[in-house]
Amino acid sequence: IELSIYLPADKIESIDSTQLQRTIRYHFELKSEDKAAELKKAKQLGRKGLLLGFLVFLVCTLIGLALMNAFPSSRLILTLEQSLVVFAWVLIWRPVEILTYDRWPLVSEYKQLQQLTQLNVTLKAQAN
């Protein structure tokens, strides 16, 4: 990947192209580190949410089974038990989404930023 910067011919000689390239690469290194931190945070949030979701799922399932055993012929209890299962699945959905679908764009951006840390910068004279 190359970044070409067009400047007036008399200005090119006054700019240190090596330092400019280092500065631009450093900018993308910082952005890459920020994106890596964002990925790490999303992963931690997803894992914590998934753990909590599974615990709530377990509790909801146990409560539903206990109620079904205590009142086997009650339609109200059957509805309540099914509602608890749906509630538990809803709790698990967002953490799974964070760990899967929400991560893909972040990973893609991180890879692009990593590539930009190797960016070659060239200075060229501007055509009049």
Side-chain angles (χ1 to χ4, degrees), residues 35 39 103-114:
K35 195 57 66 178
L39 267 166
R103 279 195 61 203
W104 294 342
L106 295 176
V107 169
S108 177
E109 288 177 45
Y110 174 74
K111 287 179 181 178
Q112 289 172 355
L113 289 168
Q114 282 294 104

Side-chain angles (χ1 to χ4, degrees), residues 93-94 96-106:
W93 176 252
R94 183 63 184 142
V96 169
E97 188 177 38
I98 289 170
L99 290 171
T100 55
Y101 303 113
D102 288 356
R103 279 195 61 203
W104 294 342
L106 295 176

Side-chain angles (χ1 to χ4, degrees), residues 2-114:
E2 182 174 294
L3 172 64
S4 297
I5 299 175
Y6 290 87
L7 296 171
D10 59 331
K11 302 285 184 184
I12 288 178
E13 294 169 8
S14 66
I15 295 177
D16 181 3
S17 62
T18 306
Q19 180 60 37
L20 180 62
Q21 179 169 291
R22 275 189 291 215
T23 302
I24 291 172
R25 284 181 174 183
Y26 182 68
H27 166 77
F28 288 114
E29 286 174 17
L30 291 177
K31 292 288 187 184
S32 176
E33 289 172 7
D34 289 345
K35 195 57 66 178
E38 190 177 343
L39 267 166
K40 184 178 179 182
K41 187 175 180 180
K43 195 176 193 181
Q44 288 173 342
L45 179 66
R47 285 181 177 171
K48 286 179 184 177
L50 197 57
L51 177 63
L52 179 63
F54 275 128
L55 289 175
V56 171
F57 193 94
L58 178 64
V59 169
C60 287
T61 302
L62 292 175
I63 291 171
L65 287 173
L67 288 172
M68 287 300 293
N69 287 334
F71 308 98
S73 60
S74 173
R75 289 182 164 254
L76 176 65
I77 297 301
L78 177 63
T79 302
L80 182 60
E81 187 264 341
Q82 291 175 352
S83 298
L84 287 171
V85 170
V86 169
F87 174 74
W89 278 111
V90 169
L91 281 179
I92 289 175
W93 176 252
R94 183 63 184 142
V96 169
E97 188 177 38
I98 289 170
L99 290 171
T100 55
Y101 303 113
D102 288 356
R103 279 195 61 203
W104 294 342
L106 295 176
V107 169
S108 177
E109 288 177 45
Y110 174 74
K111 287 179 181 178
Q112 289 172 355
L113 289 168
Q114 282 294 104

Side-chain angles (χ1 to χ4, degrees), residues 117-128:
T117 64
Q118 302 303 313
L119 183 70
N120 291 319
V121 177
T122 57
L123 298 175
K124 295 184 179 182
Q126 189 174 23
N128 291 333

